[in-house]
Amino acid sequence: MRTLFSIHAGAEHFWPLEPVARTLVQAGHEDAICAPRSTQAAVEACGLTFFEAGLDWPALINCFTGQPLLPLPPFGPAWAHCVFAELTPHYMIPDLLAVANQWRPELIIRDATEYAGAIAAEYLGLPHASVVVDAFSAIDSPEWESITGNRMMVADALAQHR
């Protein structure tokens, strides 16, 4: 089976999913990781296939000493919503679809707050799974408005991407 992983920018988003990818490879499956460029070195150091996809927003934010290229609200719920539900999927979805059309995965696995993988899988008619990589990503309660894993917080943005 071919599995395409859809991951946020940065090695810190890859490392929690690496054991899942490694286990699939050891079971005889073929994996590829789709992520922004800042994730490439960590992926390739593990001997996995890497496809560049999406906006490398941490690199863009960190490379400007003055006004950042991306206008983001201050850290908090609005920031998380803007980055994880609006900006990241906007740039990642077209790249994921292009890679999937060429590489032909049978399953997409994503970080629980990486929504482009879910939307691309739905569009392609593929099964997908999410892996919770921190203690808060899976909380799905109206009281947890700052948690990007909360589907109630991101539903409108995802509907627009669809």
Side-chain angles (χ1 to χ4, degrees):
M1 177 174 58
R2 284 185 145 192
T3 303
L4 185 63
F5 285 76
S6 179
I7 300 174
H8 287 301
E12 67 274 13
H13 292 283
F14 167 66
W15 291 123
L17 293 171
E18 186 272 339
V20 178
R22 176 79 47 223
T23 300
L24 288 170
V25 168
Q26 289 171 349
H29 302 290
E30 189 176 358
D31 291 351
I33 310 296
C34 255
R37 183 177 297 163
S38 62
T39 314
Q40 184 172 1
V43 170
E44 290 179 347
C46 292
L48 298 169
T49 301
F50 177 82
F51 292 110
E52 184 176 346
L55 178 69
D56 207 348
W57 57 269
L60 288 174
I61 291 170
N62 294 333
C63 74
F64 291 95
T65 56
Q67 182 69 21
L69 177 63
L70 298 174
L72 296 173
F75 285 103
W79 181 89
H81 185 272
C82 180
V83 171
F84 295 116
E86 294 176 3
L87 284 175
T88 303
H90 174 79
Y91 290 96
M92 183 70 114
I93 292 167
D95 293 342
L96 275 175
L97 292 174
V99 168
N101 283 325
Q102 177 186 352
W103 196 70
R104 303 281 183 210
E106 298 162 85
L107 170 67
I108 294 178
I109 297 178
R110 63 184 181 85
D111 174 328
T113 61
E114 198 297 295
Y115 299 107
I119 292 170
E122 289 172 9
Y123 180 81
L124 295 167
L126 296 174
H128 76 277
S130 64
V131 177
V132 174
V133 298
D134 63 47
F136 295 108
S137 292
I139 294 172
D140 201 9
S141 165
E143 290 80 34
W144 288 87
E145 294 176 358
S146 66
I147 305 304
T148 55
N150 187 332
R151 65 183 160 80
M152 293 171 268
M153 180 181 163
V154 300
D156 291 343
L158 300 187
Q160 289 179 12
H161 290 300
R162 285 184 183 101

